[in-house]
Amino acid sequence: MSGTLLVNNLAGLMIVTSMLVIAVKKPTVSAVFYGVQSLVLVGIFITLANMFGAHELYLWSISAFVTKVVLVPLIMYRAFCKLADPNADGGVVSTAVLFMLAAAIVLVSYFAVQPVQLPMLGELKPVLAVSLGHFLIGLMCIVTQRNILKQVFGYCLMENGSHLTLALLAHDAPELVEIGIATDAIFAVIIMTLMARRIYRTMHTLDVQKLISLKG
């Protein structure tokens, strides 16, 4: 299997894991699927490093493995297993509609990246489309999910999409850039997790639709 085909297939797998993160009911299970998705992202980094001859991406893959595959999922899993609100499970639209929206997002993203003309992206435009679509799917998760914890995952999906775009368009960026992005993601997840726990302890709910009482 060629490197291009492998990267394209792995990018498609990222979309599948994104929908699993959103569709499953338990946030702890979503944390596991997010870890799996991040492992797929690491695989893309390693393959791109081999294709482009970019040693920076090998360093990115190590940093991403430590932060995205291990630390962030572990933090979310341990924090979210103590929070449960079955009434907040689900979203404002059905799972079937979510899958149709995701398909539409990927299709629109594919056509959106067609005008992009970069030598290194000749056969990797599907991956660029996935990176853009992945960001938008994360945004869709934030908008459509009622559970605060699922909205945290929406941010994480958006961050993975942005990360993939950076790997495609700036794969020779210094490792310091990757460390900054990864560190930012960890602190963002910690802050959002602490806020979710505080809201749960105060309001006894994780349903964002019930938090309108905080207004004013």
Side-chain angles (χ1 to χ4, degrees):
M1 181 182 293
S2 67
T4 300
L5 182 59
L6 178 59
V7 171
N8 287 331
N9 288 337
L10 288 175
L13 186 56
M14 283 190 65
I15 295 296
V16 174
T17 52
S18 291
M19 296 314 300
L20 291 174
V21 168
I22 299 173
V24 297
K25 291 185 177 181
K26 293 184 178 180
T28 51
V29 180
S30 292
V32 174
F33 281 125
Y34 172 75
V36 173
Q37 177 184 106
S38 297
L39 186 60
V40 173
L41 183 63
V42 169
I44 293 177
F45 286 170
I46 294 174
T47 307
L48 289 176
N50 184 59
M51 291 174 59
F52 296 149
H55 72 277
E56 292 88 355
L57 284 176
Y58 287 116
L59 299 177
W60 284 31
S61 63
I62 295 173
S63 177
F65 181 84
V66 172
T67 56
K68 294 175 175 295
V69 180
V70 179
L71 291 181
V72 171
L74 182 61
I75 291 171
M76 291 193 293
Y77 185 91
R78 295 191 62 179
F80 294 172
C81 67
K82 300 177 182 179
L83 304 177
D85 184 6
N87 295 325
D89 291 339
V92 297
V93 297
S94 66
T95 302
V97 173
L98 281 176
F99 276 91
M100 288 189 290
L101 288 174
I105 286 173
V106 173
L107 183 62
V108 171
S109 298
Y110 177 80
F111 287 108
V113 302
Q114 291 309 303
V116 178
Q117 299 297 330
L118 292 175
M120 67 189 69
L121 293 178
E123 297 180 348
L124 293 177
K125 282 189 178 181
V127 185
L128 184 60
V130 166
S131 68
L132 174 60
H134 203 273
F135 181 89
L136 296 176
I137 287 174
L139 181 60
M140 178 187 72
C141 178
I142 294 176
V143 172
T144 62
Q145 296 301 297
R146 294 167 51 194
N147 194 317
I148 298 173
L149 306 183
K150 282 298 188 70
Q151 295 187 346
V152 175
F153 285 110
Y155 164 81
C156 293
L157 296 181
M158 292 173 67
E159 198 269 341
N160 271 359
S162 300
H163 215 147
L164 181 55
T165 302
L166 184 63
L168 288 170
L169 301 181
H171 55 269
D172 56 350
E175 169 64 8
L176 184 62
V177 174
E178 157 64 15
I179 294 176
I181 295 174
T183 304
D184 176 72
I186 291 176
F187 281 108
V189 168
I190 291 175
I191 291 172
M192 287 187 288
T193 299
L194 291 175
M195 290 179 63
R197 293 182 64 177
R198 182 64 179 270
I199 291 173
Y200 182 74
R201 290 175 179 176
T202 303
M203 306 297 296
H204 307 292
T205 183
L206 294 172
D207 190 343
V208 294
Q209 293 184 336
K210 294 181 180 179
L211 297 181
I212 194 171
S213 59
L214 295 176
K215 185 177 180 180

